[in-house]
Structure formats: C-alpha cells, structure tokens
Amino acid sequence: MSSFENIINSEKPVLIDFSAEWCGPCKMLAPILKQVKDSLGDRITIIKIDVDKNQVLASKYQVRGVPTMVLYQNGIQLWRQSGVLTKDQIIKTIIEKTN
C-alpha cells in the first residue's frame, strides 16, 4: 500500500489500470495501453493492478468495475474512467489533464 502511494505521488503522471484476469474488456485495453506507453514514452508511468489480487487497494480506491483507469499526478486524482477507450482518447485526456 505504501509503495502504491509513493508511485501515485510522483511528479510524473501515473495511469493506473485496475483490471482482472477474467475480464474481456481488460484484455482489449492491455494492447491499447501499450500503444499509449509507446507514444508517450517516459512522460507517463502506466501500472496494471489486478483487483482480485489487490482487493484492499481496489476497495480503498473505490474500484467497482473493471477496467477502471485512474490518472494521478503528485498524489492528486486528475481523471477516472471505467471501460475501454481508444489510444487517441486516452492520450488526449492525459495531455489535457497534465498540462
């Protein structure tokens, strides 16, 4: 838990992907997030959290459905979205919210 809080307190934007192994849309989102990382490179950190293996964390951050993406910077939640978005939608949101 403390390492998670250290991660989201980063000055660099952090996109958390709350997902589950059994979730079909989560499997669709994984390659999209890889493309986002490839496009943005070192400007963002993307972390995948399995809600089944990290139930306390999912509960603390009120993740009710998967996939849920949450964008943090300096410990502040800038954006939250459940469901699958396109690479361009995610990149546009990250850039808008972090500039």
Coordinates of all heavy atoms in Angstrom, one line a residue:
M1 N 0.8 -1.2 0.0 CA 0.0 0.0 0.0 C 0.9 1.3 0.0 O 0.6 2.2 -0.8 CB -0.9 0.0 1.2 CG -1.9 1.1 1.2 SD -3.3 0.9 0.1 CE -4.3 -0.3 0.9
S2 N 1.9 1.3 0.8 CA 2.8 2.5 0.9 C 3.5 2.7 -0.4 O 3.7 3.8 -0.9 CB 3.7 2.4 2.1 OG 4.6 1.4 1.9
S3 N 3.9 1.6 -1.1 CA 4.6 1.7 -2.3 C 3.7 2.3 -3.4 O 4.1 3.0 -4.3 CB 5.3 0.4 -2.8 OG 4.3 -0.6 -3.0
F4 N 2.4 1.9 -3.4 CA 1.4 2.4 -4.3 C 1.3 3.9 -4.1 O 1.3 4.7 -5.1 CB 0.1 1.7 -4.1 CG -1.0 2.2 -5.0 CD1 -1.1 1.8 -6.3 CD2 -1.9 3.1 -4.6 CE1 -2.1 2.2 -7.2 CE2 -2.9 3.6 -5.4 CZ -3.0 3.1 -6.7
E5 N 1.2 4.3 -2.8 CA 1.1 5.8 -2.6 C 2.3 6.5 -3.0 O 2.2 7.6 -3.5 CB 0.7 6.0 -1.1 CG -0.7 5.6 -0.8 CD -1.1 5.5 0.6 OE1 -0.3 6.0 1.5 OE2 -2.2 5.1 0.9
N6 N 3.5 5.9 -2.9 CA 4.7 6.5 -3.4 C 4.6 6.7 -4.9 O 5.1 7.7 -5.4 CB 5.9 5.7 -3.0 CG 6.3 5.8 -1.5 OD1 5.8 6.7 -0.8 ND2 7.1 4.8 -1.1
I7 N 4.1 5.7 -5.6 CA 4.0 5.8 -7.0 C 3.1 6.9 -7.5 O 3.4 7.7 -8.3 CB 3.5 4.4 -7.6 CG1 4.6 3.3 -7.4 CG2 3.2 4.5 -9.1 CD1 4.2 1.9 -7.6
I8 N 1.9 7.0 -6.9 CA 0.9 8.0 -7.3 C 1.3 9.4 -6.9 O 0.8 10.4 -7.4 CB -0.5 7.6 -6.9 CG1 -0.7 7.7 -5.4 CG2 -1.0 6.3 -7.5 CD1 -2.2 7.6 -4.9
N9 N 2.2 9.5 -5.9 CA 2.7 10.8 -5.5 C 3.8 11.4 -6.4 O 4.3 12.4 -6.2 CB 3.2 10.8 -4.1 CG 2.1 10.8 -3.1 OD1 1.2 11.6 -3.3 ND2 2.1 10.0 -2.1
S10 N 4.1 10.6 -7.5 CA 5.2 11.0 -8.4 C 4.8 12.3 -9.2 O 3.6 12.6 -9.4 CB 5.3 9.9 -9.5 OG 6.1 10.3 -10.5
E11 N 5.8 13.1 -9.5 CA 5.6 14.3 -10.3 C 5.2 13.9 -11.7 O 4.5 14.6 -12.4 CB 6.9 15.1 -10.3 CG 6.7 16.5 -10.8 CD 7.9 17.4 -10.5 OE1 8.4 17.5 -9.4 OE2 8.4 18.0 -11.5
K12 N 5.7 12.8 -12.2 CA 5.4 12.2 -13.5 C 4.0 11.7 -13.4 O 3.6 11.0 -12.4 CB 6.4 11.1 -13.9 CG 6.1 10.7 -15.3 CD 6.8 9.4 -15.8 CE 8.2 9.2 -15.3 NZ 8.8 8.0 -16.0
P13 N 3.1 11.9 -14.4 CA 1.8 11.4 -14.4 C 1.8 9.8 -14.3 O 2.7 9.2 -15.0 CB 1.2 11.8 -15.7 CG 2.0 13.0 -16.1 CD 3.3 12.8 -15.6
V14 N 0.9 9.2 -13.6 CA 0.8 7.8 -13.4 C -0.6 7.4 -13.8 O -1.6 7.9 -13.2 CB 1.1 7.4 -12.0 CG1 1.0 5.8 -11.8 CG2 2.5 7.8 -11.6
L15 N -0.7 6.5 -14.8 CA -2.0 5.9 -15.1 C -2.2 4.5 -14.6 O -1.3 3.7 -14.9 CB -2.2 5.9 -16.7 CG -3.5 5.4 -17.2 CD1 -4.7 6.3 -16.8 CD2 -3.5 5.2 -18.7
I16 N -3.1 4.3 -13.7 CA -3.4 3.0 -13.1 C -4.5 2.3 -13.8 O -5.6 2.9 -14.1 CB -3.8 3.2 -11.6 CG1 -2.8 4.1 -10.8 CG2 -4.0 1.8 -10.9 CD1 -1.4 3.6 -10.7
D17 N -4.2 1.1 -14.2 CA -5.2 0.3 -14.9 C -5.7 -0.8 -13.9 O -4.9 -1.8 -13.7 CB -4.6 -0.3 -16.2 CG -5.4 -1.4 -16.8 OD1 -6.6 -1.4 -16.6 OD2 -4.8 -2.3 -17.5
F18 N -6.8 -0.6 -13.3 CA -7.4 -1.6 -12.4 C -8.1 -2.6 -13.3 O -9.0 -2.2 -14.1 CB -8.4 -1.0 -11.5 CG -7.7 -0.2 -10.4 CD1 -7.6 1.2 -10.5 CD2 -7.2 -0.8 -9.2 CE1 -7.1 1.9 -9.4 CE2 -6.6 -0.1 -8.2 CZ -6.5 1.3 -8.3
S19 N -7.7 -3.9 -13.3 CA -8.2 -4.9 -14.2 C -8.3 -6.2 -13.5 O -8.0 -6.4 -12.3 CB -7.3 -5.0 -15.4 OG -6.0 -5.4 -15.0
A20 N -8.8 -7.2 -14.2 CA -8.9 -8.6 -13.7 C -8.6 -9.6 -14.8 O -8.9 -9.3 -16.0 CB -10.3 -8.9 -13.1
E21 N -8.1 -10.7 -14.5 CA -7.7 -11.8 -15.5 C -9.0 -12.2 -16.3 O -8.9 -12.5 -17.5 CB -7.1 -13.0 -14.8 CG -5.7 -12.8 -14.4 CD -4.7 -12.6 -15.5 OE1 -4.8 -13.3 -16.5 OE2 -3.8 -11.7 -15.4
W22 N -10.1 -12.3 -15.6 CA -11.3 -12.9 -16.2 C -12.1 -11.9 -17.1 O -13.1 -12.2 -17.7 CB -12.2 -13.4 -15.1 CG -12.4 -12.4 -14.0 CD1 -11.8 -12.4 -12.8 CD2 -13.3 -11.3 -14.0 NE1 -12.2 -11.4 -12.0 CE2 -13.1 -10.7 -12.7 CE3 -14.3 -10.8 -14.8 CZ2 -13.9 -9.5 -12.3 CZ3 -15.0 -9.7 -14.5 CH2 -14.8 -9.1 -13.2
C23 N -11.6 -10.6 -17.1 CA -12.3 -9.5 -17.7 C -12.0 -9.4 -19.2 O -10.8 -9.0 -19.5 CB -12.0 -8.2 -16.9 SG -12.5 -6.7 -17.7
G24 N -13.0 -9.6 -20.1 CA -12.8 -9.4 -21.5 C -12.3 -8.0 -21.9 O -11.3 -7.9 -22.7
P25 N -13.1 -7.0 -21.5 CA -12.7 -5.6 -21.9 C -11.3 -5.3 -21.4 O -10.5 -4.5 -22.0 CB -13.7 -4.8 -21.2 CG -14.9 -5.6 -21.2 CD -14.4 -7.0 -20.9
C26 N -10.8 -5.8 -20.2 CA -9.5 -5.6 -19.7 C -8.5 -6.1 -20.7 O -7.4 -5.5 -20.9 CB -9.3 -6.3 -18.4 SG -10.4 -5.7 -17.1
K27 N -8.7 -7.3 -21.3 CA -7.8 -7.9 -22.3 C -7.7 -7.0 -23.5 O -6.7 -6.9 -24.2 CB -8.2 -9.3 -22.6 CG -8.1 -10.2 -21.4 CD -8.4 -11.6 -21.8 CE -8.0 -12.6 -20.7 NZ -9.0 -13.2 -20.0
M28 N -8.9 -6.4 -23.9 CA -8.9 -5.4 -25.0 C -8.1 -4.2 -24.7 O -7.4 -3.6 -25.6 CB -10.3 -5.0 -25.4 CG -11.1 -6.2 -25.9 SD -12.9 -5.7 -26.1 CE -12.9 -4.1 -26.8
L29 N -8.1 -3.7 -23.5 CA -7.4 -2.5 -23.1 C -5.9 -2.6 -23.0 O -5.2 -1.7 -23.3 CB -8.0 -2.0 -21.7 CG -7.5 -0.7 -21.2 CD1 -7.8 0.5 -22.2 CD2 -8.1 -0.4 -19.9
A30 N -5.4 -3.8 -22.7 CA -4.0 -4.0 -22.5 C -3.1 -3.6 -23.7 O -2.2 -2.8 -23.5 CB -3.7 -5.5 -22.1
P31 N -3.4 -4.0 -24.9 CA -2.6 -3.6 -26.0 C -2.8 -2.1 -26.4 O -1.8 -1.4 -26.8 CB -3.1 -4.4 -27.2 CG -4.4 -5.0 -26.8 CD -4.4 -5.0 -25.3
I32 N -3.9 -1.5 -26.0 CA -4.2 -0.1 -26.2 C -3.2 0.7 -25.3 O -2.6 1.7 -25.7 CB -5.6 0.3 -26.0 CG1 -6.5 -0.4 -27.1 CG2 -5.8 1.8 -26.0 CD1 -8.0 -0.3 -26.8
L33 N -3.1 0.2 -24.0 CA -2.3 0.9 -23.1 C -0.8 0.8 -23.5 O 0.0 1.7 -23.2 CB -2.5 0.4 -21.7 CG -3.9 0.8 -21.1 CD1 -4.0 0.3 -19.7 CD2 -4.0 2.3 -21.1
K34 N -0.4 -0.3 -24.1 CA 0.9 -0.5 -24.6 C 1.2 0.5 -25.7 O 2.3 1.2 -25.7 CB 1.2 -1.9 -25.1 CG 2.6 -2.1 -25.5 CD 2.9 -3.5 -26.1 CE 4.3 -3.6 -26.5 NZ 5.0 -2.5 -27.1
Q35 N 0.2 0.8 -26.5 CA 0.4 1.8 -27.6 C 0.5 3.2 -27.0 O 1.3 4.0 -27.4 CB -0.8 1.8 -28.6 CG -0.8 0.5 -29.4 CD -2.1 0.4 -30.2 OE1 -3.0 1.2 -30.1 NE2 -2.2 -0.6 -31.1
V36 N -0.3 3.4 -25.9 CA -0.2 4.7 -25.2 C 1.2 4.9 -24.7 O 1.8 6.0 -24.8 CB -1.3 4.8 -24.1 CG1 -1.0 6.0 -23.2 CG2 -2.7 4.9 -24.7
K37 N 1.7 3.9 -24.0 CA 3.1 4.0 -23.4 C 4.1 4.2 -24.5 O 5.0 5.0 -24.4 CB 3.4 2.7 -22.6 CG 4.7 2.7 -22.0 CD 5.0 3.8 -21.0 CE 6.3 3.6 -20.3 NZ 6.7 4.8 -19.6
D38 N 4.0 3.4 -25.6 CA 4.9 3.6 -26.8 C 4.9 5.0 -27.3 O 5.9 5.6 -27.7 CB 4.6 2.6 -27.9 CG 4.9 1.2 -27.5 OD1 5.6 0.9 -26.5 OD2 4.4 0.3 -28.2
S39 N 3.7 5.6 -27.3 CA 3.5 7.0 -27.8 C 4.1 8.1 -26.9 O 4.7 9.0 -27.3 CB 2.1 7.3 -28.1 OG 1.6 6.5 -29.2
L40 N 3.8 7.9 -25.6 CA 4.2 8.9 -24.6 C 5.5 8.6 -24.0 O 6.1 9.6 -23.4 CB 3.1 9.0 -23.5 CG 1.8 9.6 -24.0 CD1 0.8 9.6 -22.9 CD2 1.9 10.9 -24.6
G41 N 6.0 7.4 -24.0 CA 7.3 7.1 -23.5 C 7.5 7.4 -22.0 O 6.7 7.1 -21.2
D42 N 8.6 8.1 -21.7 CA 8.9 8.5 -20.4 C 8.1 9.6 -19.7 O 8.3 9.9 -18.6 CB 10.4 8.9 -20.3 CG 11.3 7.7 -20.5 OD1 10.9 6.5 -20.3 OD2 12.5 7.9 -20.8
R43 N 7.2 10.1 -20.5 CA 6.3 11.2 -20.0 C 5.2 10.6 -19.0 O 4.6 11.4 -18.4 CB 5.7 12.0 -21.1 CG 6.7 12.7 -21.9 CD 6.1 13.7 -22.9 NE 5.1 13.1 -23.7 CZ 4.5 13.6 -24.7 NH1 4.9 14.8 -25.1 NH2 3.6 13.0 -25.4
I44 N 5.0 9.3 -19.0 CA 4.0 8.7 -18.2 C 4.4 7.3 -17.7 O 5.2 6.7 -18.3 CB 2.7 8.5 -19.0 CG1 1.5 8.1 -18.0 CG2 2.8 7.5 -20.1 CD1 0.2 8.6 -18.4
T45 N 3.9 7.0 -16.5 CA 4.1 5.6 -16.0 C 2.7 5.0 -16.0 O 1.7 5.6 -15.6 CB 4.6 5.7 -14.5 OG1 5.8 6.4 -14.5 CG2 4.7 4.3 -13.9
I46 N 2.7 3.7 -16.5 CA 1.4 3.0 -16.6 C 1.6 1.7 -15.7 O 2.5 1.0 -15.9 CB 1.0 2.6 -18.0 CG1 0.8 3.9 -18.8 CG2 -0.3 1.8 -18.0 CD1 0.5 3.7 -20.3
I47 N 0.6 1.5 -14.8 CA 0.7 0.4 -13.9 C -0.6 -0.4 -14.0 O -1.7 0.2 -13.9 CB 1.0 0.8 -12.5 CG1 2.3 1.5 -12.4 CG2 0.9 -0.3 -11.5 CD1 2.6 2.2 -11.1
K48 N -0.5 -1.7 -14.1 CA -1.7 -2.5 -14.1 C -1.8 -3.2 -12.7 O -0.9 -3.7 -12.1 CB -1.5 -3.6 -15.1 CG -2.7 -4.6 -15.2 CD -2.5 -5.5 -16.4 CE -3.6 -6.4 -16.6 NZ -3.5 -7.2 -17.8
I49 N -3.0 -3.0 -12.1 CA -3.3 -3.6 -10.8 C -4.5 -4.6 -11.0 O -5.5 -4.3 -11.5 CB -3.8 -2.5 -9.8 CG1 -2.8 -1.4 -9.7 CG2 -4.2 -3.1 -8.5 CD1 -1.8 -1.5 -8.7
D50 N -4.2 -5.9 -10.6 CA -5.2 -6.9 -10.6 C -6.1 -6.8 -9.4 O -5.6 -6.9 -8.3 CB -4.5 -8.3 -10.7 CG -5.5 -9.4 -10.8 OD1 -6.6 -9.4 -10.2 OD2 -5.2 -10.3 -11.6
V51 N -7.4 -6.5 -9.6 CA -8.3 -6.2 -8.4 C -8.5 -7.5 -7.6 O -8.8 -7.3 -6.4 CB -9.6 -5.6 -8.9 CG1 -9.4 -4.2 -9.5 CG2 -10.4 -6.5 -9.8
D52 N -8.4 -8.6 -8.2 CA -8.6 -9.9 -7.4 C -7.4 -10.1 -6.5 O -7.6 -10.7 -5.4 CB -8.8 -11.1 -8.4 CG -10.1 -11.0 -9.1 OD1 -11.1 -10.4 -8.5 OD2 -10.2 -11.5 -10.3
K53 N -6.2 -9.8 -6.9 CA -5.0 -10.0 -6.1 C -4.8 -8.8 -5.2 O -4.0 -8.9 -4.2 CB -3.8 -10.2 -7.0 CG -3.9 -11.4 -7.8 CD -2.7 -11.5 -8.8 CE -2.8 -12.8 -9.6 NZ -1.9 -12.8 -10.7
N54 N -5.4 -7.7 -5.4 CA -5.2 -6.5 -4.6 C -6.6 -5.9 -4.2 O -6.9 -4.7 -4.4 CB -4.4 -5.4 -5.4 CG -3.1 -5.9 -5.8 OD1 -2.2 -5.8 -5.0 ND2 -2.9 -6.3 -7.0
Q55 N -7.3 -6.7 -3.5 CA -8.7 -6.3 -3.1 C -8.7 -5.1 -2.2 O -9.6 -4.3 -2.2 CB -9.4 -7.5 -2.5 CG -9.7 -8.6 -3.6 CD -10.4 -9.8 -3.0 OE1 -10.7 -9.9 -1.8 NE2 -10.7 -10.8 -3.9
V56 N -7.8 -5.1 -1.2 CA -7.7 -4.0 -0.3 C -7.5 -2.6 -1.0 O -8.2 -1.6 -0.8 CB -6.6 -4.2 0.8 CG1 -6.5 -2.9 1.7 CG2 -7.0 -5.4 1.6
L57 N -6.6 -2.6 -2.0 CA -6.3 -1.4 -2.8 C -7.5 -1.0 -3.6 O -7.9 0.1 -3.7 CB -5.1 -1.7 -3.7 CG -4.3 -0.6 -4.2 CD1 -3.8 0.3 -3.1 CD2 -3.2 -1.1 -5.1
A58 N -8.1 -2.0 -4.3 CA -9.3 -1.8 -5.1 C -10.4 -1.2 -4.3 O -11.1 -0.2 -4.7 CB -9.8 -3.0 -5.8
S59 N -10.6 -1.7 -3.1 CA -11.6 -1.2 -2.2 C -11.3 0.2 -1.7 O -12.2 1.1 -1.7 CB -11.8 -2.1 -1.0 OG -12.7 -1.6 -0.1
K60 N -10.1 0.5 -1.3 CA -9.7 1.8 -0.8 C -9.9 2.9 -1.9 O -10.3 4.0 -1.6 CB -8.2 1.8 -0.4 CG -7.8 3.1 0.1 CD -6.3 3.2 0.5 CE -6.0 4.6 1.0 NZ -4.6 4.8 1.4
Y61 N -9.7 2.5 -3.2 CA -9.8 3.5 -4.2 C -11.2 3.3 -4.9 O -11.4 3.9 -6.0 CB -8.6 3.4 -5.2 CG -7.4 3.9 -4.5 CD1 -6.5 3.1 -3.8 CD2 -7.1 5.3 -4.5 CE1 -5.4 3.6 -3.2 CE2 -6.0 5.8 -3.9 CZ -5.2 4.9 -3.2 OH -4.1 5.4 -2.6
Q62 N -12.1 2.6 -4.3 CA -13.5 2.5 -4.7 C -13.6 2.1 -6.2 O -14.4 2.6 -6.9 CB -14.2 3.8 -4.5 CG -14.2 4.2 -3.0 CD -14.8 5.6 -2.7 OE1 -15.1 6.3 -3.7 NE2 -14.9 5.9 -1.5
V63 N -12.9 1.0 -6.6 CA -13.0 0.5 -7.9 C -14.1 -0.5 -7.9 O -14.1 -1.5 -7.2 CB -11.7 -0.2 -8.3 CG1 -11.8 -0.9 -9.7 CG2 -10.5 0.8 -8.4
R64 N -15.2 -0.2 -8.6 CA -16.4 -1.0 -8.6 C -16.5 -1.9 -9.8 O -17.2 -2.9 -9.8 CB -17.7 -0.1 -8.5 CG -17.7 0.8 -7.3 CD -18.1 0.0 -6.0 NE -18.1 0.9 -4.9 CZ -17.3 0.9 -3.9 NH1 -16.3 0.1 -3.9 NH2 -17.4 1.8 -2.9
G65 N -15.9 -1.5 -10.9 CA -15.9 -2.3 -12.1 C -14.6 -2.2 -12.8 O -13.8 -1.3 -12.6
V66 N -14.4 -3.2 -13.7 CA -13.1 -3.2 -14.4 C -13.4 -3.3 -15.9 O -14.5 -3.9 -16.3 CB -12.2 -4.4 -14.0 CG1 -11.6 -4.2 -12.6 CG2 -13.0 -5.8 -14.0
P67 N -12.6 -2.7 -16.7 CA -11.4 -2.0 -16.4 C -11.7 -0.6 -15.9 O -12.7 0.0 -16.4 CB -10.6 -1.9 -17.7 CG -11.6 -2.0 -18.7 CD -12.7 -2.8 -18.2
T68 N -11.0 -0.1 -14.9 CA -11.1 1.3 -14.5 C -9.7 1.9 -14.6 O -8.7 1.3 -14.0 CB -11.6 1.4 -13.0 OG1 -13.0 1.0 -13.0 CG2 -11.6 2.9 -12.5
M69 N -9.6 3.0 -15.3 CA -8.3 3.7 -15.4 C -8.4 5.0 -14.5 O -9.4 5.7 -14.5 CB -8.0 4.2 -16.8 CG -7.8 3.0 -17.8 SD -7.6 3.6 -19.5 CE -9.3 3.9 -19.9
V70 N -7.3 5.2 -13.7 CA -7.2 6.4 -12.9 C -5.9 7.1 -13.1 O -4.9 6.4 -13.1 CB -7.4 6.0 -11.4 CG1 -7.5 7.3 -10.5 CG2 -8.6 5.1 -11.2
L71 N -5.9 8.4 -13.4 CA -4.7 9.2 -13.7 C -4.4 10.0 -12.4 O -5.2 10.7 -11.9 CB -5.0 10.1 -14.9 CG -3.8 11.0 -15.3 CD1 -2.6 10.1 -15.8 CD2 -4.3 11.9 -16.4
Y72 N -3.2 9.8 -12.0 CA -2.7 10.6 -10.8 C -1.4 11.4 -11.2 O -0.7 11.0 -12.1 CB -2.2 9.6 -9.7 CG -3.4 9.0 -9.0 CD1 -3.8 7.7 -9.3 CD2 -4.0 9.6 -7.9 CE1 -4.8 7.1 -8.7 CE2 -5.1 9.0 -7.2 CZ -5.4 7.7 -7.6 OH -6.5 7.1 -7.0
Q73 N -1.3 12.5 -10.5 CA 0.0 13.3 -10.6 C 0.1 14.0 -9.3 O -0.8 14.6 -8.8 CB 0.0 14.3 -11.7 CG 1.3 14.9 -12.0 CD 1.3 15.8 -13.2 OE1 0.3 16.2 -13.7 NE2 2.5 16.0 -13.8
N74 N 1.3 13.9 -8.6 CA 1.6 14.5 -7.3 C 0.5 14.1 -6.3 O 0.1 14.8 -5.4 CB 1.6 16.0 -7.4 CG 2.8 16.5 -8.3 OD1 3.9 16.0 -8.2 ND2 2.5 17.4 -9.2
G75 N 0.0 12.8 -6.4 CA -0.9 12.3 -5.4 C -2.3 12.7 -5.6 O -3.2 12.4 -4.8
I76 N -2.6 13.5 -6.6 CA -3.9 14.0 -6.9 C -4.6 13.2 -8.1 O -3.9 13.1 -9.1 CB -3.9 15.5 -7.3 CG1 -3.3 16.3 -6.1 CG2 -5.3 16.1 -7.6 CD1 -2.9 17.7 -6.4
Q77 N -5.8 12.8 -7.9 CA -6.5 12.1 -8.9 C -7.0 13.2 -9.9 O -7.7 14.1 -9.6 CB -7.7 11.4 -8.4 CG -8.5 10.6 -9.5 CD -9.7 9.9 -8.9 OE1 -9.5 9.0 -8.0 NE2 -10.9 10.1 -9.5
L78 N -6.5 13.0 -11.2 CA -6.9 14.0 -12.2 C -8.0 13.6 -13.1 O -8.7 14.4 -13.7 CB -5.6 14.3 -13.1 CG -4.4 14.8 -12.4 CD1 -3.2 14.9 -13.4 CD2 -4.6 16.1 -11.7
W79 N -8.2 12.2 -13.2 CA -9.2 11.7 -14.1 C -9.5 10.2 -13.7 O -8.6 9.5 -13.2 CB -8.6 11.8 -15.5 CG -9.4 11.1 -16.6 CD1 -10.5 11.6 -17.2 CD2 -9.1 9.9 -17.3 NE1 -10.9 10.8 -18.2 CE2 -10.1 9.7 -18.3 CE3 -8.0 9.0 -17.2 CZ2 -10.1 8.6 -19.2 CZ3 -8.0 7.9 -18.1 CH2 -9.0 7.7 -19.0
R80 N -10.7 9.8 -14.0 CA -11.1 8.4 -13.7 C -12.1 8.0 -14.8 O -13.0 8.7 -15.1 CB -11.7 8.3 -12.3 CG -12.1 7.0 -11.9 CD -12.7 7.1 -10.5 NE -13.0 5.8 -10.0 CZ -12.4 5.2 -9.0 NH1 -11.5 5.8 -8.3 NH2 -12.8 4.0 -8.6
Q81 N -11.9 6.8 -15.3 CA -12.8 6.3 -16.4 C -12.9 4.8 -16.3 O -11.9 4.1 -16.2 CB -12.2 6.7 -17.7 CG -13.0 6.1 -18.9 CD -14.3 6.9 -19.2 OE1 -14.3 8.1 -19.1 NE2 -15.3 6.1 -19.5
S82 N -14.1 4.3 -16.3 CA -14.4 2.9 -16.4 C -14.7 2.5 -17.9 O -15.3 3.3 -18.6 CB -15.5 2.4 -15.6 OG -15.2 2.6 -14.2
G83 N -14.2 1.4 -18.3 CA -14.5 0.9 -19.7 C -13.2 1.1 -20.6 O -12.2 1.6 -20.1
V84 N -13.4 0.8 -21.8 CA -12.3 0.8 -22.8 C -12.4 2.1 -23.7 O -13.5 2.4 -24.1 CB -12.3 -0.4 -23.7 CG1 -11.2 -0.4 -24.8 CG2 -12.2 -1.7 -22.9
L85 N -11.3 2.8 -23.8 CA -11.2 3.9 -24.7 C -10.2 3.6 -25.8 O -9.3 2.7 -25.6 CB -10.8 5.2 -23.9 CG -11.7 5.7 -22.8 CD1 -11.1 6.9 -22.1 CD2 -13.1 6.0 -23.4
T86 N -10.2 4.4 -26.8 CA -9.1 4.3 -27.8 C -7.8 4.9 -27.4 O -7.8 5.7 -26.4 CB -9.5 5.0 -29.2 OG1 -9.6 6.4 -28.9 CG2 -10.9 4.5 -29.7
K87 N -6.7 4.5 -28.0 CA -5.4 5.1 -27.7 C -5.5 6.6 -27.8 O -5.0 7.3 -26.9 CB -4.4 4.5 -28.7 CG -3.0 5.1 -28.6 CD -2.1 4.7 -29.7 CE -2.1 5.8 -30.7 NZ -1.1 5.7 -31.8
D88 N -6.1 7.1 -28.9 CA -6.1 8.6 -29.1 C -6.9 9.3 -28.0 O -6.5 10.4 -27.5 CB -6.7 8.9 -30.4 CG -5.7 8.5 -31.6 OD1 -4.5 8.4 -31.3 OD2 -6.2 8.4 -32.7
Q89 N -8.0 8.7 -27.5 CA -8.8 9.3 -26.5 C -8.0 9.3 -25.2 O -8.0 10.3 -24.4 CB -10.1 8.5 -26.2 CG -11.1 8.6 -27.3 CD -12.3 7.6 -27.1 OE1 -12.1 6.4 -26.9 NE2 -13.5 8.1 -27.3
I90 N -7.3 8.2 -24.9 CA -6.5 8.2 -23.6 C -5.4 9.2 -23.7 O -5.2 9.9 -22.7 CB -6.0 6.7 -23.4 CG1 -7.2 5.8 -23.2 CG2 -5.0 6.7 -22.2 CD1 -6.8 4.3 -23.2
I91 N -4.6 9.2 -24.8 CA -3.5 10.2 -24.9 C -4.0 11.6 -24.8 O -3.4 12.4 -24.1 CB -2.7 10.0 -26.2 CG1 -2.0 8.6 -26.1 CG2 -1.8 11.1 -26.5 CD1 -1.3 8.2 -27.4
K92 N -5.1 11.9 -25.5 CA -5.6 13.3 -25.5 C -6.0 13.7 -24.0 O -5.7 14.8 -23.6 CB -6.9 13.4 -26.4 CG -7.5 14.7 -26.4 CD -8.7 14.7 -27.4 CE -9.3 16.1 -27.5 NZ -10.6 16.2 -26.9
T93 N -6.6 12.8 -23.3 CA -7.0 13.0 -21.9 C -5.8 13.2 -21.0 O -5.8 14.2 -20.2 CB -7.9 11.9 -21.4 OG1 -9.1 11.8 -22.2 CG2 -8.3 12.1 -19.9
I94 N -4.8 12.4 -21.2 CA -3.6 12.5 -20.4 C -2.9 13.9 -20.6 O -2.6 14.6 -19.7 CB -2.6 11.4 -20.7 CG1 -3.2 10.0 -20.1 CG2 -1.2 11.7 -20.1 CD1 -2.4 8.8 -20.6
I95 N -2.8 14.3 -21.8 CA -2.2 15.5 -22.2 C -3.0 16.7 -21.6 O -2.4 17.6 -21.0 CB -1.9 15.6 -23.7 CG1 -0.8 14.6 -24.1 CG2 -1.5 17.1 -24.1 CD1 -0.7 14.5 -25.6
E96 N -4.3 16.6 -21.8 CA -5.2 17.7 -21.3 C -5.1 17.9 -19.8 O -5.0 19.0 -19.3 CB -6.6 17.5 -21.7 CG -6.9 17.8 -23.2 CD -8.3 17.4 -23.6 OE1 -9.1 16.9 -22.7 OE2 -8.7 17.6 -24.7
K97 N -5.1 16.7 -19.1 CA -5.2 16.8 -17.6 C -3.9 17.1 -17.0 O -3.8 17.5 -15.8 CB -5.7 15.4 -17.1 CG -7.1 15.1 -17.6 CD -8.1 16.0 -17.1 CE -9.5 15.6 -17.5 NZ -10.5 16.5 -17.1
T98 N -2.7 16.9 -17.7 CA -1.4 17.0 -17.0 C -0.7 18.3 -17.5 O 0.4 18.6 -17.0 CB -0.5 15.8 -17.3 OG1 -0.3 15.6 -18.7 CG2 -1.1 14.6 -16.6
N99 N -1.3 19.1 -18.4 CA -0.6 20.3 -18.8 C -1.2 21.5 -18.2 O -2.3 21.6 -17.6 CB -0.7 20.4 -20.3 CG 0.3 19.5 -21.0 OD1 1.3 19.1 -20.4 ND2 0.1 19.1 -22.2

